[in-house]
Amino acid sequence: MLDDQVLDARALHGNKKRWLTIVGGNVALLVVMVGIPWLRGYLRSRELWRGYAAYGACLFGGKESAEPGLGLPPSHEAYFATRAVREPGWAQKCDGKLGALALPDATFILPSVKVAEMDLRAAVKLLRKELLPLAARAPGNRLSVLPLRAFERVRAGLANHTRASGAAEVPEGAAFTMASSVPVLPTPARFPLYAGAHALLSLWGSDAELYALATDHTGVSSVHVQGGALTQNRVSRPKLLEAALPRARPESFVWAMSRARCAEREHGCADKALGIARVSLPVESIPTPRWLGAHPSGRLDRSLWRDDARVIVAAVTSQGETELREFALDREAEASAQADMPPLAASKTWPVRAPGDPLLLPRPGGPRVLMAARTDTAMTLSELTPEALTPLASLPGAGAPWVVACQDGESVQLAFGHEHALVVRQNETQFEPLSVELADVVDAQDAAYDRVRPLCGAGATLRTLVHEKNGRLTLVSCTPGQPKCSSTPVAGDVHGFAALVHNERLIVAYAGAGDASQVRVRSLALSATDAAEEQVPAVCWSDSRGLCGTPTLALVGERVLLGGREGTDLRVLESGDAGLTWIPLKGLNRKD
């Protein structure tokens, strides 16, 4: 009996030992097959966090955080853009740190971690591919957003790896910080214009306020900014409303049939009328125009002059010539306009007519009228008065004639010519013709696309910007006492440009078309116009965000404003040192 009990105890002890061995073996197997792979994956994930922080700090120019997460610091896009613009090829210096994120293939890790690492290696490969073109990026090209998107894919791959490794949560803290002392490209302020991309735009104001007026195909937008408060209005564009004039600071809305429509009509638009009404800001409604018995023979801003009592129109006649018609129209008569009123008849018609394209130069008492026409062998420049048509100059050669001008007090600076040559003239001083192939007309209605622009206020030397057919923008300088003018290249591959003179500097902004639509600027000292470096004031992204397209320049008080269209809005920078440095436009919120 005792022996049986001993045998039973021994058997029980043996079974217990076997069960302990089985359990211990399974636990050991679990540790080996699951615990170690899990721990290894977790440690690899932590290693990736540190590697990501090191790479991000290198790529964006920051400093690794003590406890790195997978977040990004504010304004990381601006730091990336600054390095891409100012340090081409910088990304390749960080390639070793990027490669550290593509961990070598491992067998003793969890299958989910293994899949996550495969995805991460693919994301690293894609990022390396997208960064490579930045080393050879042309200065005027838009900056691709694909590298930033590829970087976000790497971040997503790291987050996926963290979750696959079994970590409790993805660390959200910033992986690196940016040095506040490092100068970065500013992000232009968003000016809510709410107008079409090709709207006729005016921008003006003072150091205390800012106005904008834009006319597009469907409406008229007006914006007023003062004291941190913004007022915006948009009204429907009436039929035949063409523009708000003058462009610099509009005082009148003008209605007329478009030149394209006139060209389609068998007898042109000599029998059509012109409507005019004063601009009242803010524009809450479009006033009723007073219709005048005249249709402009040239572009609206070149064919109309007005003061408080009269309107003078360079009108087209049934014979295709230009005739000056004066209309008595004071504020009271204009305010009492009704839609059913017949067109107002001219109170005076100049007896002398002339062929060609008119240019009415504003001056007190009445405009100075210039006519650019052509004969069989040359273009001619003449001055039209009520008494006579006086020839001023001629330029041999074929091509459509043109004349542009600017005024500085009593001095008038002219540039005239055809597609193959131009002449600069100031008052009675005329310089020798300069051979040049002008760019094709981009927009026959918008002065922002004029091919030749004289620049008044630039000192004794006369300066004119010329957009050539090969896309080159050239500065023509003519010095009194020297018969020949000199040419200095400013930029190439230009589609649209703007310029102004301020504080003894010439500020020129320009951009190409399509992928080359990055706005660039030169601020040229008038004493040395060939010694200014080209600068990118703010980045233009490949998805059309930022400072892109044909630029706008405006002098508002002592500030120079630089704008570019972004969708329905305007992106704006300002400069207080005549274009040497730029910051986002102030005044759009009360914190400025």
Side-chain angles (χ1 to χ4, degrees):
M1 181 100 179
L2 183 59
D3 291 339
D4 291 340
Q5 291 178 347
V6 170
L7 289 173
D8 289 342
R10 288 178 178 176
L12 182 62
H13 182 73
N15 289 336
K16 183 177 180 181
K17 185 175 182 181
R18 281 195 303 271
W19 279 107
L20 289 175
T21 301
I22 292 171
V23 171
N26 285 332
V27 170
L29 183 62
L30 182 64
V31 170
V32 172
M33 298 302 296
V34 178
I36 292 178
W38 176 87
L39 180 61
R40 191 179 185 196
Y42 178 77
L43 293 176
R44 286 166 77 90
S45 190
R46 294 294 298 264
E47 180 184 347
L48 286 172
W49 299 350
R50 291 188 290 271
Y52 166 71
Y55 176 65
C58 179
L59 184 68
F60 291 90
K63 182 180 179 182
E64 298 176 48
S65 298
E67 294 293 332
L70 298 184
L72 287 172
S75 304
H76 66 279
E77 281 192 358
Y79 284 90
F80 179 87
T82 301
R83 302 200 77 183
V85 168
R86 296 174 180 171
E87 306 174 48
W90 97 104
Q92 277 62 49
K93 299 176 183 178
C94 306
D95 195 65
K97 291 182 172 62
L98 176 60
L101 298 180
L103 295 177
D105 193 14
T107 56
F108 206 51
I109 56 176
L110 294 176
S112 59
V113 176
K114 188 177 184 69
V115 172
E117 290 188 359
M118 291 174 59
D119 292 342
L120 184 56
R121 283 193 290 271
V124 168
K125 182 179 179 181
L126 177 64
L127 178 56
R128 183 177 281 123
K129 175 185 175 183
E130 298 298 349
L131 287 170
L132 191 60
L134 296 182
R137 176 180 165 273
N141 284 356
R142 296 187 294 184
L143 182 60
S144 175
V145 299
L146 295 180
L148 287 176
R149 291 177 181 173
F151 187 86
E152 286 296 330
R153 182 169 173 178
V154 170
R155 274 213 318 148
L158 290 167
N160 184 45
H161 188 281
T162 299
R163 287 188 290 267
S165 69
E169 59 182 12
V170 176
E172 297 181 355
F176 51 92
T177 57
M178 308 305 303
S180 59
S181 59
V182 177
V184 296
L185 292 175
T187 300
R190 182 182 295 278
F191 193 81
L193 191 62
Y194 196 51
H198 300 289
L200 301 179
L201 174 65
S202 299
L203 199 63
W204 75 98
S206 66
D207 288 324
E209 60 183 343
L210 179 63
Y211 288 95
L213 188 66
T215 305
D216 59 27
H217 294 299
T218 62
V220 178
S221 297
S222 64
V223 184
H224 178 215
V225 179
Q226 185 175 26
L230 183 145
T231 303
Q232 181 192 62
N233 292 285
R234 181 170 174 85
V235 296
S236 297
R237 175 182 175 178
K239 186 179 180 181
L240 299 181
L241 177 63
E242 282 291 296
L245 300 175
R247 182 171 178 266
R249 186 168 183 158
E251 297 176 350
S252 302
F253 286 120
V254 183
W255 286 253
M257 184 170 285
S258 69
R259 300 181 74 178
R261 289 283 305 278
C262 290
E264 295 173 355
R265 302 182 81 238
E266 182 179 357
H267 301 293
C269 285
D271 59 338
K272 294 296 180 179
L274 175 146
I276 191 166
R278 292 189 182 271
V279 172
S280 179
L281 298 171
V283 180
E284 297 178 345
S285 63
I286 301 295
T288 301
R290 185 63 176 102
W291 291 94
L292 312 178
H295 192 276
S297 65
R299 198 171 72 190
L300 279 177
D301 60 312
R302 298 167 57 90
S303 304
L304 186 144
W305 175 94
R306 74 170 303 171
D307 61 13
D308 285 338
R310 289 184 303 160
V311 177
I312 299 180
V313 180
V316 63
T317 68
S318 57
Q319 291 78 33
E321 295 181 310
T322 295
E323 177 180 79
L324 273 293
R325 301 175 190 173
E326 299 186 15
F327 298 87
L329 187 65
D330 57 21
R331 289 180 178 270
E332 183 178 350
E334 190 174 358
S336 62
Q338 301 294 323
D340 58 351
M341 284 183 171
L344 184 66
S347 59
K348 177 182 178 182
T349 299
W350 293 14
V352 181
R353 299 177 175 180
D357 187 32
L359 174 61
L360 274 60
L361 297 177
R363 63 181 179 183
R368 182 183 181 188
V369 183
L370 301 176
M371 300 295 302
R374 76 160 302 100
T375 64
D376 293 338
T377 60
M379 73 82 56
T380 61
L381 178 67
S382 306
E383 182 170 1
L384 180 63
T385 65
E387 294 77 26
L389 179 66
T390 305
L392 298 179
S394 65
L395 179 64
W402 54 266
V403 57
V404 292
C406 66
Q407 301 181 80
D408 187 9
E410 296 297 322
S411 178
V412 177
Q413 180 179 331
L414 303 175
F416 62 90
H418 45 68
E419 282 92 339
H420 312 294
L422 66 83
V423 176
V424 175
R425 177 186 177 107
Q426 184 182 41
N427 300 331
E428 301 304 319
T429 302
Q430 183 168 307
F431 296 85
E432 293 183 6
L434 186 68
S435 179
V436 61
E437 295 293 322
L438 289 184
D440 296 331
V441 174
V442 175
D443 190 328
Q445 300 300 316
D446 192 350
Y449 290 96
D450 281 354
R451 302 171 295 176
V452 180
R453 300 185 202 177
L455 302 166
C456 286
T461 299
L462 308 183
R463 293 184 170 90
T464 304
L465 278 170
V466 180
H467 189 196
E468 299 185 43
K469 196 175 186 65
N470 58 9
R472 184 172 61 185
L473 186 62
T474 300
L475 180 64
V476 175
S477 301
C478 306
T479 303
Q482 300 179 10
K484 293 185 178 181
C485 301
S486 62
S487 298
T488 304
V490 175
D493 297 324
V494 173
H495 177 71
F497 69 98
L500 57 81
V501 176
H502 180 55
N503 285 351
E504 301 299 318
R505 301 193 74 87
L506 168 60
I507 307 164
V508 186
Y510 46 89
D515 289 339
S517 57
Q518 167 71 64
V519 173
R520 293 163 284 165
V521 174
R522 289 187 189 273
S523 179
L524 307 151
L526 295 178
S527 57
T529 54
D530 59 345
E533 291 186 2
E534 179 180 85
Q535 59 172 307
V536 173
V539 71
C540 169
W541 296 97
S542 59
D543 57 1
S544 298
R545 291 181 297 118
L547 203 60
C548 309
T550 298
T552 296
L553 277 175
L555 183 61
V556 178
E558 288 301 313
R559 298 179 294 168
V560 176
L561 303 190
L562 170 64
R565 296 303 306 275
E566 182 183 300
T568 61
D569 297 330
L570 189 69
R571 287 286 195 170
V572 188
L573 297 175
E574 68 172 65
S575 174
D577 54 10
L580 294 175
T581 58
W582 300 90
I583 61 173
L585 173 67
K586 295 180 179 179
L588 293 185
N589 59 70
R590 296 187 183 278
K591 295 180 181 179
D592 287 334

